[in-house]
Amino acid sequence: MYFDNFYSAFTGDEQNELLTSEARESAGKPYASAMGYWENSSGDLLHKLLYTDMKTYLVELLMKQDQMSMAASIESRVPFLDHVLVEQAMRIPTKYLLNGLSGKMVLKRALEDLLPRDILYRKKMGFPTPWARWLQDDQLNEVEQMLTSDRSLARGLFRGETLHCIFAEHRKKQRDHTDRIWRLMNLELWHRVFVDAEAPKTQSANGAL
C-alpha cells in the first residue's frame, strides 16, 4: 500500500490494466530491492519505514539534488545527513518524533528560538511543478497523440485502449491523471532521446519549442 500510493503513480491494479502482458512478464517485482531493505530493517513500524526510505527514496533525491545544483554551478551541502547526526536521530523513540500527523517534532522544537513560529510550523509547501496548467487543450491532445502513436505503442509497454481511457477521464474531469500523464510523457521522451537517439528539441530565441 505504501509503495503503490507514494512511489508509484499507478497502483498495482492500474499497472495490470496499463501494461501489456509482455511488459508485465519482463518487469518482475518493481519493489523487490526496496522490500529487501524493509525486511532487513529493525525497530517499530516508523523506524522500519524511515530506514527503508533513507536507503531508497532519499538516495534518488540526493542524486537529483546533486545534479541540479551542479548544473547551476552551486556547491550544495546536506548537513543534516552527517552520519553521526543520522545515527543519533535513528535512536530517537517514535513518541518524540510525531505529534498526530505532524513530523520532525524534535527538529522543530530545537529551532523554536531561531525561526519564527509561522515559518517553523507552516504547512509543507514542497516544490510543485505546474503540470496541470501545462497539460491542457492542444498540449494534452499532442501528448495523447504521441503516447498512442504507432511508434510509441510498438515499444510493447502500454495498452493503447488504457491510454485513451486515461486521457478521456482526465478531459471529463472524472479523475485527475496529471501526474500519470506527465510520467508517461517523460518516459516516452526518454526513449526517443536515449534509445532511439533522436536529437532533443531545443528552445528557440522566441521561447517556443
Side-chain angles (χ1 to χ4, degrees), residues 98-131:
L98 299 175
N99 181 18
L101 296 178
S102 298
K104 303 180 182 178
M105 298 312 300
V106 173
L107 177 62
K108 291 175 180 177
R109 289 170 182 167
L111 298 177
E112 282 184 339
D113 60 341
L114 299 175
L115 294 174
R117 185 175 182 83
D118 58 341
I119 295 295
L120 197 57
Y121 290 96
R122 72 181 178 185
K123 184 179 179 180
K124 183 176 180 179
M125 298 176 67
F127 304 96
T129 305
W131 302 333

PDB file of all heavy atoms in Angstrom, residues 98-131:
ATOM      1  N   LEU A  98       6.668  12.229  16.396  1.00  0.00           N
ATOM      2  CA  LEU A  98       5.397  12.613  15.797  1.00  0.00           C
ATOM      3  C   LEU A  98       4.488  13.295  16.809  1.00  0.00           C
ATOM      4  O   LEU A  98       4.523  12.994  18.000  1.00  0.00           O
ATOM      5  CB  LEU A  98       4.676  11.382  15.240  1.00  0.00           C
ATOM      6  CG  LEU A  98       5.391  10.588  14.148  1.00  0.00           C
ATOM      7  CD1 LEU A  98       4.582   9.340  13.817  1.00  0.00           C
ATOM      8  CD2 LEU A  98       5.588  11.429  12.901  1.00  0.00           C
ATOM      9  N   ASN A  99       3.673  14.206  16.295  1.00  0.00           N
ATOM     10  CA  ASN A  99       2.613  14.831  17.082  1.00  0.00           C
ATOM     11  C   ASN A  99       1.361  14.781  16.222  1.00  0.00           C
ATOM     12  O   ASN A  99       1.107  15.663  15.421  1.00  0.00           O
ATOM     13  CB  ASN A  99       2.972  16.270  17.449  1.00  0.00           C
ATOM     14  CG  ASN A  99       1.886  16.925  18.283  1.00  0.00           C
ATOM     15  OD1 ASN A  99       1.047  16.248  18.856  1.00  0.00           O
ATOM     16  ND2 ASN A  99       1.904  18.250  18.337  1.00  0.00           N
ATOM     17  N   GLY A 100       0.591  13.700  16.351  1.00  0.00           N
ATOM     18  CA  GLY A 100      -0.517  13.482  15.438  1.00  0.00           C
ATOM     19  C   GLY A 100       0.034  13.150  14.059  1.00  0.00           C
ATOM     20  O   GLY A 100       0.799  12.217  13.895  1.00  0.00           O
ATOM     21  N   LEU A 101      -0.341  13.963  13.067  1.00  0.00           N
ATOM     22  CA  LEU A 101       0.159  13.776  11.706  1.00  0.00           C
ATOM     23  C   LEU A 101       1.354  14.678  11.407  1.00  0.00           C
ATOM     24  O   LEU A 101       1.860  14.691  10.284  1.00  0.00           O
ATOM     25  CB  LEU A 101      -0.966  14.063  10.694  1.00  0.00           C
ATOM     26  CG  LEU A 101      -2.170  13.110  10.746  1.00  0.00           C
ATOM     27  CD1 LEU A 101      -3.211  13.539   9.732  1.00  0.00           C
ATOM     28  CD2 LEU A 101      -1.739  11.667  10.492  1.00  0.00           C
ATOM     29  N   SER A 102       1.799  15.431  12.396  1.00  0.00           N
ATOM     30  CA  SER A 102       2.951  16.330  12.214  1.00  0.00           C
ATOM     31  C   SER A 102       4.239  15.609  12.577  1.00  0.00           C
ATOM     32  O   SER A 102       4.315  14.941  13.615  1.00  0.00           O
ATOM     33  CB  SER A 102       2.799  17.578  13.092  1.00  0.00           C
ATOM     34  OG  SER A 102       1.638  18.302  12.720  1.00  0.00           O
ATOM     35  N   GLY A 103       5.241  15.748  11.725  1.00  0.00           N
ATOM     36  CA  GLY A 103       6.527  15.109  11.973  1.00  0.00           C
ATOM     37  C   GLY A 103       7.631  16.106  12.263  1.00  0.00           C
ATOM     38  O   GLY A 103       7.394  17.299  12.435  1.00  0.00           O
ATOM     39  N   LYS A 104       8.853  15.614  12.338  1.00  0.00           N
ATOM     40  CA  LYS A 104      10.044  16.433  12.576  1.00  0.00           C
ATOM     41  C   LYS A 104       9.917  17.245  13.874  1.00  0.00           C
ATOM     42  O   LYS A 104      10.425  18.367  13.964  1.00  0.00           O
ATOM     43  CB  LYS A 104      10.307  17.378  11.402  1.00  0.00           C
ATOM     44  CG  LYS A 104      10.467  16.676  10.069  1.00  0.00           C
ATOM     45  CD  LYS A 104      10.734  17.663   8.951  1.00  0.00           C
ATOM     46  CE  LYS A 104      10.844  16.969   7.607  1.00  0.00           C
ATOM     47  NZ  LYS A 104      11.058  17.909   6.501  1.00  0.00           N
ATOM     48  N   MET A 105       9.269  16.670  14.871  1.00  0.00           N
ATOM     49  CA  MET A 105       8.988  17.433  16.081  1.00  0.00           C
ATOM     50  C   MET A 105      10.264  17.816  16.845  1.00  0.00           C
ATOM     51  O   MET A 105      10.371  18.912  17.376  1.00  0.00           O
ATOM     52  CB  MET A 105       8.036  16.651  16.987  1.00  0.00           C
ATOM     53  CG  MET A 105       6.670  16.385  16.351  1.00  0.00           C
ATOM     54  SD  MET A 105       5.928  17.859  15.598  1.00  0.00           S
ATOM     55  CE  MET A 105       5.817  18.946  17.004  1.00  0.00           C
ATOM     56  N   VAL A 106      11.230  16.900  16.909  1.00  0.00           N
ATOM     57  CA  VAL A 106      12.474  17.210  17.625  1.00  0.00           C
ATOM     58  C   VAL A 106      13.197  18.363  16.943  1.00  0.00           C
ATOM     59  O   VAL A 106      13.675  19.301  17.590  1.00  0.00           O
ATOM     60  CB  VAL A 106      13.381  15.965  17.684  1.00  0.00           C
ATOM     61  CG1 VAL A 106      14.744  16.321  18.272  1.00  0.00           C
ATOM     62  CG2 VAL A 106      12.724  14.870  18.514  1.00  0.00           C
ATOM     63  N   LEU A 107      13.276  18.318  15.622  1.00  0.00           N
ATOM     64  CA  LEU A 107      13.947  19.374  14.863  1.00  0.00           C
ATOM     65  C   LEU A 107      13.236  20.707  15.040  1.00  0.00           C
ATOM     66  O   LEU A 107      13.879  21.745  15.250  1.00  0.00           O
ATOM     67  CB  LEU A 107      13.997  18.986  13.382  1.00  0.00           C
ATOM     68  CG  LEU A 107      14.609  20.014  12.423  1.00  0.00           C
ATOM     69  CD1 LEU A 107      16.069  20.269  12.772  1.00  0.00           C
ATOM     70  CD2 LEU A 107      14.482  19.531  10.983  1.00  0.00           C
ATOM     71  N   LYS A 108      11.921  20.700  14.966  1.00  0.00           N
ATOM     72  CA  LYS A 108      11.157  21.941  15.088  1.00  0.00           C
ATOM     73  C   LYS A 108      11.333  22.567  16.472  1.00  0.00           C
ATOM     74  O   LYS A 108      11.533  23.776  16.595  1.00  0.00           O
ATOM     75  CB  LYS A 108       9.682  21.672  14.814  1.00  0.00           C
ATOM     76  CG  LYS A 108       9.398  21.318  13.352  1.00  0.00           C
ATOM     77  CD  LYS A 108       7.936  20.935  13.145  1.00  0.00           C
ATOM     78  CE  LYS A 108       7.677  20.578  11.686  1.00  0.00           C
ATOM     79  NZ  LYS A 108       6.275  20.136  11.453  1.00  0.00           N
ATOM     80  N   ARG A 109      11.275  21.742  17.494  1.00  0.00           N
ATOM     81  CA  ARG A 109      11.421  22.283  18.854  1.00  0.00           C
ATOM     82  C   ARG A 109      12.833  22.789  19.106  1.00  0.00           C
ATOM     83  O   ARG A 109      13.042  23.746  19.847  1.00  0.00           O
ATOM     84  CB  ARG A 109      11.035  21.209  19.875  1.00  0.00           C
ATOM     85  CG  ARG A 109       9.535  20.935  19.900  1.00  0.00           C
ATOM     86  CD  ARG A 109       9.154  19.741  20.720  1.00  0.00           C
ATOM     87  NE  ARG A 109       7.710  19.500  20.674  1.00  0.00           N
ATOM     88  CZ  ARG A 109       7.133  18.391  21.089  1.00  0.00           C
ATOM     89  NH1 ARG A 109       7.875  17.407  21.584  1.00  0.00           N
ATOM     90  NH2 ARG A 109       5.817  18.250  21.002  1.00  0.00           N
ATOM     91  N   ALA A 110      13.806  22.151  18.455  1.00  0.00           N
ATOM     92  CA  ALA A 110      15.193  22.589  18.625  1.00  0.00           C
ATOM     93  C   ALA A 110      15.430  23.952  17.994  1.00  0.00           C
ATOM     94  O   ALA A 110      16.351  24.680  18.399  1.00  0.00           O
ATOM     95  CB  ALA A 110      16.140  21.559  18.017  1.00  0.00           C
ATOM     96  N   LEU A 111      14.596  24.319  17.020  1.00  0.00           N
ATOM     97  CA  LEU A 111      14.794  25.574  16.294  1.00  0.00           C
ATOM     98  C   LEU A 111      13.786  26.658  16.663  1.00  0.00           C
ATOM     99  O   LEU A 111      13.740  27.710  16.023  1.00  0.00           O
ATOM    100  CB  LEU A 111      14.716  25.313  14.784  1.00  0.00           C
ATOM    101  CG  LEU A 111      15.767  24.368  14.203  1.00  0.00           C
ATOM    102  CD1 LEU A 111      15.523  24.141  12.717  1.00  0.00           C
ATOM    103  CD2 LEU A 111      17.177  24.922  14.426  1.00  0.00           C
ATOM    104  N   GLU A 112      12.986  26.425  17.697  1.00  0.00           N
ATOM    105  CA  GLU A 112      11.944  27.383  18.056  1.00  0.00           C
ATOM    106  C   GLU A 112      12.486  28.752  18.437  1.00  0.00           C
ATOM    107  O   GLU A 112      11.817  29.769  18.235  1.00  0.00           O
ATOM    108  CB  GLU A 112      11.082  26.820  19.189  1.00  0.00           C
ATOM    109  CG  GLU A 112      10.067  25.795  18.710  1.00  0.00           C
ATOM    110  CD  GLU A 112       9.156  25.314  19.816  1.00  0.00           C
ATOM    111  OE1 GLU A 112       9.544  25.451  21.010  1.00  0.00           O
ATOM    112  OE2 GLU A 112       8.067  24.788  19.510  1.00  0.00           O
ATOM    113  N   ASP A 113      13.695  28.804  18.984  1.00  0.00           N
ATOM    114  CA  ASP A 113      14.254  30.103  19.363  1.00  0.00           C
ATOM    115  C   ASP A 113      15.070  30.734  18.232  1.00  0.00           C
ATOM    116  O   ASP A 113      15.660  31.799  18.409  1.00  0.00           O
ATOM    117  CB  ASP A 113      15.128  29.974  20.617  1.00  0.00           C
ATOM    118  CG  ASP A 113      16.295  29.011  20.414  1.00  0.00           C
ATOM    119  OD1 ASP A 113      16.225  28.191  19.465  1.00  0.00           O
ATOM    120  OD2 ASP A 113      17.262  29.070  21.188  1.00  0.00           O
ATOM    121  N   LEU A 114      15.092  30.088  17.073  1.00  0.00           N
ATOM    122  CA  LEU A 114      15.861  30.602  15.935  1.00  0.00           C
ATOM    123  C   LEU A 114      14.982  31.026  14.759  1.00  0.00           C
ATOM    124  O   LEU A 114      15.360  31.907  13.986  1.00  0.00           O
ATOM    125  CB  LEU A 114      16.862  29.540  15.448  1.00  0.00           C
ATOM    126  CG  LEU A 114      17.919  29.089  16.459  1.00  0.00           C
ATOM    127  CD1 LEU A 114      18.750  27.952  15.876  1.00  0.00           C
ATOM    128  CD2 LEU A 114      18.812  30.269  16.845  1.00  0.00           C
ATOM    129  N   LEU A 115      13.806  30.411  14.625  1.00  0.00           N
ATOM    130  CA  LEU A 115      12.923  30.698  13.492  1.00  0.00           C
ATOM    131  C   LEU A 115      11.548  31.133  13.985  1.00  0.00           C
ATOM    132  O   LEU A 115      11.078  30.664  15.025  1.00  0.00           O
ATOM    133  CB  LEU A 115      12.770  29.464  12.602  1.00  0.00           C
ATOM    134  CG  LEU A 115      14.020  28.987  11.861  1.00  0.00           C
ATOM    135  CD1 LEU A 115      13.732  27.667  11.144  1.00  0.00           C
ATOM    136  CD2 LEU A 115      14.493  30.041  10.869  1.00  0.00           C
ATOM    137  N   PRO A 116      10.876  32.012  13.253  1.00  0.00           N
ATOM    138  CA  PRO A 116       9.507  32.408  13.618  1.00  0.00           C
ATOM    139  C   PRO A 116       8.584  31.198  13.602  1.00  0.00           C
ATOM    140  O   PRO A 116       8.721  30.308  12.758  1.00  0.00           O
ATOM    141  CB  PRO A 116       9.122  33.414  12.520  1.00  0.00           C
ATOM    142  CG  PRO A 116      10.419  33.898  11.963  1.00  0.00           C
ATOM    143  CD  PRO A 116      11.376  32.742  12.072  1.00  0.00           C
ATOM    144  N   ARG A 117       7.612  31.181  14.504  1.00  0.00           N
ATOM    145  CA  ARG A 117       6.724  30.033  14.625  1.00  0.00           C
ATOM    146  C   ARG A 117       5.917  29.806  13.337  1.00  0.00           C
ATOM    147  O   ARG A 117       5.678  28.663  12.946  1.00  0.00           O
ATOM    148  CB  ARG A 117       5.770  30.231  15.808  1.00  0.00           C
ATOM    149  CG  ARG A 117       4.896  29.009  16.060  1.00  0.00           C
ATOM    150  CD  ARG A 117       4.048  29.157  17.312  1.00  0.00           C
ATOM    151  NE  ARG A 117       3.262  27.958  17.530  1.00  0.00           N
ATOM    152  CZ  ARG A 117       3.710  26.864  18.129  1.00  0.00           C
ATOM    153  NH1 ARG A 117       4.954  26.831  18.580  1.00  0.00           N
ATOM    154  NH2 ARG A 117       2.930  25.801  18.287  1.00  0.00           N
ATOM    155  N   ASP A 118       5.495  30.908  12.667  1.00  0.00           N
ATOM    156  CA  ASP A 118       4.684  30.737  11.461  1.00  0.00           C
ATOM    157  C   ASP A 118       5.493  30.139  10.314  1.00  0.00           C
ATOM    158  O   ASP A 118       4.921  29.592   9.368  1.00  0.00           O
ATOM    159  CB  ASP A 118       4.057  32.070  11.037  1.00  0.00           C
ATOM    160  CG  ASP A 118       5.104  33.139  10.772  1.00  0.00           C
ATOM    161  OD1 ASP A 118       6.240  32.991  11.244  1.00  0.00           O
ATOM    162  OD2 ASP A 118       4.767  34.113  10.079  1.00  0.00           O
ATOM    163  N   ILE A 119       6.804  30.226  10.387  1.00  0.00           N
ATOM    164  CA  ILE A 119       7.663  29.577   9.392  1.00  0.00           C
ATOM    165  C   ILE A 119       7.929  28.133   9.803  1.00  0.00           C
ATOM    166  O   ILE A 119       7.827  27.203   8.995  1.00  0.00           O
ATOM    167  CB  ILE A 119       9.005  30.318   9.246  1.00  0.00           C
ATOM    168  CG1 ILE A 119       8.774  31.725   8.682  1.00  0.00           C
ATOM    169  CG2 ILE A 119       9.978  29.526   8.369  1.00  0.00           C
ATOM    170  CD1 ILE A 119       8.234  31.739   7.263  1.00  0.00           C
ATOM    171  N   LEU A 120       8.223  27.944  11.050  1.00  0.00           N
ATOM    172  CA  LEU A 120       8.615  26.621  11.539  1.00  0.00           C
ATOM    173  C   LEU A 120       7.469  25.618  11.474  1.00  0.00           C
ATOM    174  O   LEU A 120       7.684  24.436  11.163  1.00  0.00           O
ATOM    175  CB  LEU A 120       9.118  26.747  12.982  1.00  0.00           C
ATOM    176  CG  LEU A 120       9.941  25.604  13.547  1.00  0.00           C
ATOM    177  CD1 LEU A 120      11.173  25.341  12.696  1.00  0.00           C
ATOM    178  CD2 LEU A 120      10.366  25.925  14.973  1.00  0.00           C
ATOM    179  N   TYR A 121       6.254  26.071  11.737  1.00  0.00           N
ATOM    180  CA  TYR A 121       5.120  25.160  11.799  1.00  0.00           C
ATOM    181  C   TYR A 121       4.123  25.346  10.649  1.00  0.00           C
ATOM    182  O   TYR A 121       2.989  24.878  10.729  1.00  0.00           O
ATOM    183  CB  TYR A 121       4.392  25.327  13.137  1.00  0.00           C
ATOM    184  CG  TYR A 121       5.194  24.803  14.309  1.00  0.00           C
ATOM    185  CD1 TYR A 121       5.971  25.664  15.077  1.00  0.00           C
ATOM    186  CD2 TYR A 121       5.193  23.448  14.623  1.00  0.00           C
ATOM    187  CE1 TYR A 121       6.729  25.179  16.142  1.00  0.00           C
ATOM    188  CE2 TYR A 121       5.945  22.960  15.690  1.00  0.00           C
ATOM    189  CZ  TYR A 121       6.712  23.833  16.446  1.00  0.00           C
ATOM    190  OH  TYR A 121       7.457  23.349  17.495  1.00  0.00           O
ATOM    191  N   ARG A 122       4.539  25.998   9.593  1.00  0.00           N
ATOM    192  CA  ARG A 122       3.632  26.177   8.458  1.00  0.00           C
ATOM    193  C   ARG A 122       3.458  24.854   7.715  1.00  0.00           C
ATOM    194  O   ARG A 122       4.272  23.931   7.849  1.00  0.00           O
ATOM    195  CB  ARG A 122       4.169  27.239   7.501  1.00  0.00           C
ATOM    196  CG  ARG A 122       5.370  26.805   6.695  1.00  0.00           C
ATOM    197  CD  ARG A 122       5.859  27.930   5.795  1.00  0.00           C
ATOM    198  NE  ARG A 122       7.046  27.518   5.045  1.00  0.00           N
ATOM    199  CZ  ARG A 122       7.735  28.336   4.249  1.00  0.00           C
ATOM    200  NH1 ARG A 122       7.362  29.597   4.132  1.00  0.00           N
ATOM    201  NH2 ARG A 122       8.795  27.880   3.597  1.00  0.00           N
ATOM    202  N   LYS A 123       2.429  24.787   6.914  1.00  0.00           N
ATOM    203  CA  LYS A 123       2.156  23.601   6.129  1.00  0.00           C
ATOM    204  C   LYS A 123       3.268  23.378   5.112  1.00  0.00           C
ATOM    205  O   LYS A 123       3.796  24.324   4.531  1.00  0.00           O
ATOM    206  CB  LYS A 123       0.817  23.749   5.399  1.00  0.00           C
ATOM    207  CG  LYS A 123       0.393  22.526   4.624  1.00  0.00           C
ATOM    208  CD  LYS A 123      -0.969  22.752   3.954  1.00  0.00           C
ATOM    209  CE  LYS A 123      -1.386  21.539   3.144  1.00  0.00           C
ATOM    210  NZ  LYS A 123      -2.703  21.747   2.477  1.00  0.00           N
ATOM    211  N   LYS A 124       3.623  22.112   4.887  1.00  0.00           N
ATOM    212  CA  LYS A 124       4.680  21.794   3.935  1.00  0.00           C
ATOM    213  C   LYS A 124       4.299  22.294   2.550  1.00  0.00           C
ATOM    214  O   LYS A 124       3.181  22.094   2.077  1.00  0.00           O
ATOM    215  CB  LYS A 124       4.911  20.281   3.899  1.00  0.00           C
ATOM    216  CG  LYS A 124       6.056  19.864   2.983  1.00  0.00           C
ATOM    217  CD  LYS A 124       6.311  18.366   3.069  1.00  0.00           C
ATOM    218  CE  LYS A 124       7.463  17.952   2.162  1.00  0.00           C
ATOM    219  NZ  LYS A 124       7.738  16.495   2.259  1.00  0.00           N
ATOM    220  N   MET A 125       5.245  22.964   1.892  1.00  0.00           N
ATOM    221  CA  MET A 125       4.964  23.557   0.598  1.00  0.00           C
ATOM    222  C   MET A 125       5.545  22.751  -0.559  1.00  0.00           C
ATOM    223  O   MET A 125       4.949  22.613  -1.607  1.00  0.00           O
ATOM    224  CB  MET A 125       5.516  24.988   0.552  1.00  0.00           C
ATOM    225  CG  MET A 125       4.883  25.915   1.569  1.00  0.00           C
ATOM    226  SD  MET A 125       5.610  27.559   1.601  1.00  0.00           S
ATOM    227  CE  MET A 125       5.114  28.160  -0.016  1.00  0.00           C
ATOM    228  N   GLY A 126       6.724  22.200  -0.392  1.00  0.00           N
ATOM    229  CA  GLY A 126       7.341  21.423  -1.448  1.00  0.00           C
ATOM    230  C   GLY A 126       7.770  22.297  -2.625  1.00  0.00           C
ATOM    231  O   GLY A 126       7.814  23.522  -2.536  1.00  0.00           O
ATOM    232  N   PHE A 127       8.055  21.650  -3.746  1.00  0.00           N
ATOM    233  CA  PHE A 127       8.471  22.343  -4.959  1.00  0.00           C
ATOM    234  C   PHE A 127       7.647  21.827  -6.141  1.00  0.00           C
ATOM    235  O   PHE A 127       8.175  21.194  -7.049  1.00  0.00           O
ATOM    236  CB  PHE A 127       9.964  22.123  -5.221  1.00  0.00           C
ATOM    237  CG  PHE A 127      10.838  22.544  -4.080  1.00  0.00           C
ATOM    238  CD1 PHE A 127      11.267  21.623  -3.140  1.00  0.00           C
ATOM    239  CD2 PHE A 127      11.221  23.869  -3.933  1.00  0.00           C
ATOM    240  CE1 PHE A 127      12.071  21.995  -2.079  1.00  0.00           C
ATOM    241  CE2 PHE A 127      12.022  24.257  -2.868  1.00  0.00           C
ATOM    242  CZ  PHE A 127      12.449  23.333  -1.946  1.00  0.00           C
ATOM    243  N   PRO A 128       6.337  22.097  -6.127  1.00  0.00           N
ATOM    244  CA  PRO A 128       5.480  21.538  -7.180  1.00  0.00           C
ATOM    245  C   PRO A 128       5.749  22.164  -8.542  1.00  0.00           C
ATOM    246  O   PRO A 128       6.087  23.346  -8.657  1.00  0.00           O
ATOM    247  CB  PRO A 128       4.070  21.885  -6.689  1.00  0.00           C
ATOM    248  CG  PRO A 128       4.259  23.119  -5.859  1.00  0.00           C
ATOM    249  CD  PRO A 128       5.587  22.933  -5.174  1.00  0.00           C
ATOM    250  N   THR A 129       5.600  21.362  -9.563  1.00  0.00           N
ATOM    251  CA  THR A 129       5.692  21.830 -10.941  1.00  0.00           C
ATOM    252  C   THR A 129       4.279  22.037 -11.468  1.00  0.00           C
ATOM    253  O   THR A 129       3.414  21.202 -11.227  1.00  0.00           O
ATOM    254  CB  THR A 129       6.421  20.779 -11.812  1.00  0.00           C
ATOM    255  OG1 THR A 129       7.688  20.491 -11.227  1.00  0.00           O
ATOM    256  CG2 THR A 129       6.625  21.294 -13.224  1.00  0.00           C
ATOM    257  N   PRO A 130       4.002  23.124 -12.180  1.00  0.00           N
ATOM    258  CA  PRO A 130       2.627  23.404 -12.645  1.00  0.00           C
ATOM    259  C   PRO A 130       2.200  22.525 -13.811  1.00  0.00           C
ATOM    260  O   PRO A 130       1.849  23.009 -14.889  1.00  0.00           O
ATOM    261  CB  PRO A 130       2.710  24.885 -13.039  1.00  0.00           C
ATOM    262  CG  PRO A 130       4.127  25.088 -13.461  1.00  0.00           C
ATOM    263  CD  PRO A 130       4.940  24.219 -12.532  1.00  0.00           C
ATOM    264  N   TRP A 131       2.233  21.197 -13.603  1.00  0.00           N
ATOM    265  CA  TRP A 131       1.888  20.264 -14.670  1.00  0.00           C
ATOM    266  C   TRP A 131       0.469  20.476 -15.173  1.00  0.00           C
ATOM    267  O   TRP A 131       0.212  20.402 -16.368  1.00  0.00           O
ATOM    268  CB  TRP A 131       2.024  18.821 -14.174  1.00  0.00           C
ATOM    269  CG  TRP A 131       3.384  18.476 -13.673  1.00  0.00           C
ATOM    270  CD1 TRP A 131       4.566  19.046 -14.058  1.00  0.00           C
ATOM    271  CD2 TRP A 131       3.719  17.494 -12.699  1.00  0.00           C
ATOM    272  NE1 TRP A 131       5.607  18.472 -13.377  1.00  0.00           N
ATOM    273  CE2 TRP A 131       5.111  17.511 -12.541  1.00  0.00           C
ATOM    274  CE3 TRP A 131       2.970  16.598 -11.956  1.00  0.00           C
ATOM    275  CZ2 TRP A 131       5.778  16.677 -11.658  1.00  0.00           C
ATOM    276  CZ3 TRP A 131       3.633  15.754 -11.073  1.00  0.00           C
ATOM    277  CH2 TRP A 131       5.021  15.796 -10.929  1.00  0.00           C
TER     278      TRP A 131
END
